[in-house]
Amino acid sequence: MTAIAATGQPTQAPSFEYQKRGRWLTRWEPDNPAFWASGGEQTAKKNLWFSVFAENLGFSVWVLWGSIVTAMGAAGFTFLEGLGRGNPTAVANALLLTSVPSLVGATLRVPYTFAIPRFGGRAFTAFSAGLLMFPTLGMAWFVNQPGTPMWVFVLLAALAGVGGGNFSSSMANISFFFPEGKKGAALGINAAGGNLGVAQTQLAAPLLITLGTHLLADDAAGYRLGITLAILIWVPFVLVAVFGALRYMDSIVSAKADGKSYKLALTNANTWIMSLLYIGTFGSFIGFSFAFPTLIKANFPDLAQIGWITVVGNLAFLGAFVGSFSRPVGGWLADRIGGARITVYVFTGMAVAVGLIMAALSMRSFPLYLTAFLLLFVLTGLGNGSTYRMIPSIFGATTAKYGAEHGLDAAETQATARRQAGAAIGVIGAVGAFGGFLLQQALRLSNITFGSMTPAFWGYAVAFLVMAAVTWWFYLRSTFATEKMPSLAYANV
């Protein structure tokens, strides 16, 4: 950026100065190489790491119910007794408690996206992290009241949903800090850091619950102590996240919500097609992450009875762990092979993985069951990366085609495509998270109606194959450029 001196000659604008302490940034030009090199990059990375930390805790609290419901029956809550014996009522109640956070988290993702331009990244990151204190302290209190009715825990599970909304505000905030050429990598790190919160909760919670049972002789009291430890362990980290955001993060004055782009994205068929596909990838990742501990305990109760409860409980974390790390691999493969092609492979593989899960259940083989589920989680991660890679490609191609047909400026057309893709990502992310709720409700209703979750799993397999066909039809067919669907089918996106 340049300024005009008194002589009428252009002069170089003052270089940007990095500051460790947080502030409002009145000037932010990440696409300016000189600005980026003079402190912009250091500032962006500082905000990225504090954002990852806060988002990671949001996911940790969001998924916490998936781990603690497996121990609540033993802690004295009758509505979950018999979960380890496959009691249909207990399984249904557990899936209700694990699905409610998914529903609330998905719903909050839309308003959380608009919160950053309105309140600033620093203030809203601190606020959204601070909200995590309510579900954690509430759960810690009521889990020590054995007579607490289930509806209270449903409300507490809903409160935990605030952690799921943090994803959208965090992603929106970080997208403002990085230049176009580095935005994809930054958002990938941000998303993966959040997803890892699921794995770390599912690793730590069973260990802490087991520790509580060893500290107290009374079984029910020991389980209540263990659950309390599994909940309260996150409180000091939440306080650190709030302090770190307030003291060190920055807010960008020029970060503005683009309402027009959201309206255009909402009327674009591609937004809703990709939302369907993201239900299949991210919805499956988050839905199975919530349900996996319950599924292991309900389907293989004999493992707990022979003293493997700690081992089996901790094995549940592997699903979210491998799914988180495979997400950036999916984006990398999509860059080289094509997002649509990878997505078709992913959905086909997910249907095969479901078939292997069903075979493992019929054979009562836990090793095969675990292996098949880990394959499913890896594929969901790959699909998360490939579908996110498809979105800017699709909007870039469709907008460029429209611009060429109407004689619009190429640079402005590209800027419009980026804005619409960003808006679409917010919508698609929210709908995809809602898929986690749908998946768990399908398991719950199948168990209530048929006394088995088998129909739901076969339904998933069919749905995954349908999504593979949808991906091929709209984005991979060589015959896509037809007059009937001029804006939908773009090869190798």
Side-chain angles (χ1 to χ4, degrees), residues 79-132:
F79 52 84
L80 288 172
E81 287 182 352
L83 179 62
R85 299 188 299 275
N87 180 349
T89 301
V91 172
N93 288 337
L95 290 171
L96 175 62
L97 288 170
T98 59
S99 63
V100 167
S102 296
L103 175 63
V104 175
T107 304
L108 289 177
R109 285 191 169 196
V110 174
Y112 269 45
T113 300
F114 290 99
I116 295 299
R118 183 172 180 82
F119 302 106
R122 176 176 58 175
F124 196 76
T125 301
F127 170 76
S128 59
L131 284 180
L132 300 174

Side-chain angles (χ1 to χ4, degrees), residues 11 29 60 79 91 168 194 224 387 418 451 468 471:
T11 61
E29 304 169 21
S60 296
F79 52 84
V91 172
S168 286
R224 289 195 292 273
T387 50
R418 287 195 296 267
T471 306

Side-chain angles (χ1 to χ4, degrees), residues 29-54:
E29 304 169 21
D31 288 296
N32 180 335
F35 178 92
W36 186 249
S38 66
E41 181 177 13
Q42 193 175 5
T43 299
K45 288 182 176 179
K46 175 190 71 171
N47 283 273
L48 172 62
W49 297 123
F50 279 104
S51 176
V52 167
F53 183 63

Side-chain angles (χ1 to χ4, degrees), residues 345-389:
Y345 296 156
V346 161
F347 281 128
T348 304
M350 288 170 68
V352 172
V354 169
L356 292 174
I357 291 170
M358 293 294 95
L361 288 175
S362 65
M363 297 165 57
R364 306 304 302 164
S365 170
F366 180 72
L368 177 58
Y369 183 80
L370 179 63
T371 301
F373 250 115
L374 293 183
L375 172 61
L376 182 61
F377 274 108
V378 167
L379 290 168
T380 63
L382 293 174
N384 287 338
S386 65
T387 50
Y388 250 57
R389 170 63 179 81

